[in-house]
Amino acid sequence: MKVTHIASAAALALLAATGAQADGHYVPGVEGMQGPSVPPAGMYYLGYLVNYSIDSLRAPGSSKVPGHNTGTVTALANRFVWVTNHKLLGADYGMEAIVPVMRTSLTFNTPGVSDSRSGVGDVYLGPLVLGWHGPQWDAVAAAGLWLDNASDSHPASPGKGFKSTMLTGGLTYYFDGAKTLSGSALARYEFNSKNDDGFRPGQQLTVEWGLGKSFGAFSAGVVGYSQWQTSDDKGPGATTDRARRHAVGAELVYPIAGAGVFLKAAAYKEFSVRNNTKGSLVRFTLVKAF
């Protein structure tokens, strides 16, 4: 599942502090167990309520930037998915759109940033979602575009200021025939365009993973994510310092079968960050089938 990058303003403020640059749109941690499994044909609403709490800024060498540098970013990403009855390359064909609403508050003493903003973030349009299903596996491939519709005029503004093309691929494998034990990995790759100042952030790879176990009415497991900047920034103010982050956490999933609803909750702690913000993330997800 995709959502706009809730730490975009923090990354921009970090630019002033350490020379780090803004990264892509996708925020890791919004997908967990069985993230690559596309649902059956139908219409779906997915609401992601995410809170990212920033506890420090990290320099290119992973050291903590001196001073009091904290912030909170809260986002509600409204995702609309339509999985059709049509087949493409042997897969179920679908499409999707995401409209995020964000609230960002930053207090970064080192770069001298104190700002709070709310608004609609950059919208994602995904005309291609492909879902394959085997006896003990699911796979996904997708492609779409992050727009630059949102404001980016202040440090805490919800927009990134540039477009991004995002490609997705992933696999869920079930270790038993009853599908009670699963392992999954989902990869996103972003190609970023230039902003109005001619600056182009480097490309970004995100990998989210999960190991889950079903316990009758609910499922629980261990989840995590890693994110790497894979190419150098280009344009005014660009450096060769690349960003990366790693986190681990836990997830709980509870279905309400009669209402066609899934409820999910997850918490992550970032344990290694370079050239970006470092903190913790809490996510609540509601999935409703129509």
Side-chain angles (χ1 to χ4, degrees), residues 18 20 31 57 64 77 84 87 98 106 135 142 145 148 167 198 211 217 225 227 230 237 247 278:
T18 67
E31 290 293 359
L57 302 178
K64 182 178 179 180
T84 72
K87 296 287 186 178
I98 301 169
L106 304 175
L145 178 68
D148 59 349
L167 305 180
L211 294 171
Y225 61 76
Q227 194 170 58
T230 61
K278 182 175 184 290

Side-chain angles (χ1 to χ4, degrees), residues 98-179:
I98 301 169
V99 181
V101 180
M102 303 165 59
R103 172 66 178 174
T104 303
S105 297
L106 304 175
T107 303
F108 292 167
N109 291 344
T110 299
V113 172
S114 180
D115 191 26
S116 296
R117 305 282 166 177
S118 299
V120 177
D122 292 335
V123 171
Y124 177 81
L125 300 177
L128 180 66
V129 177
L130 300 177
W132 292 269
H133 306 283
Q136 289 185 222
W137 59 269
D138 299 314
V140 65
L145 178 68
W146 290 100
L147 304 179
D148 59 349
N149 57 281
S151 169
D152 65 332
S153 56
H154 297 85
S157 292
K160 303 285 288 185
F162 56 87
K163 297 181 179 68
S164 298
T165 298
M166 186 166 72
L167 305 180
T168 297
L171 176 70
T172 298
Y173 183 77
Y174 301 96
F175 296 95
D176 60 331
K179 297 185 176 181

Side-chain angles (χ1 to χ4, degrees), residues 22 51 63 67 73 86 94 99-100 110 138 141 144 150 166 173 176 179 188 196 198 218 224 243 276 278-279 284 289:
N51 180 268
S63 61
V73 189
H86 300 289
V99 181
T110 299
D138 299 314
M166 186 166 72
Y173 183 77
D176 60 331
K179 297 185 176 181
R188 317 277 197 184
D196 291 340
F218 70 95
N276 215 317
K278 182 175 184 290
F284 297 96

Side-chain angles (χ1 to χ4, degrees), residues 6 25 30 62 112 120 149 158-159 227 240 268:
I6 60 174
H25 283 85
V30 296
S62 301
V120 177
N149 57 281
Q227 194 170 58
T240 57
Y268 296 80

Side-chain angles (χ1 to χ4, degrees), residues 184-200:
S184 61
L186 184 68
R188 317 277 197 184
Y189 199 88
E190 293 175 83
F191 300 87
N192 300 316
S193 67
K194 294 180 181 178
N195 64 16
D196 291 340
D197 298 324
F199 175 79
R200 185 195 298 271

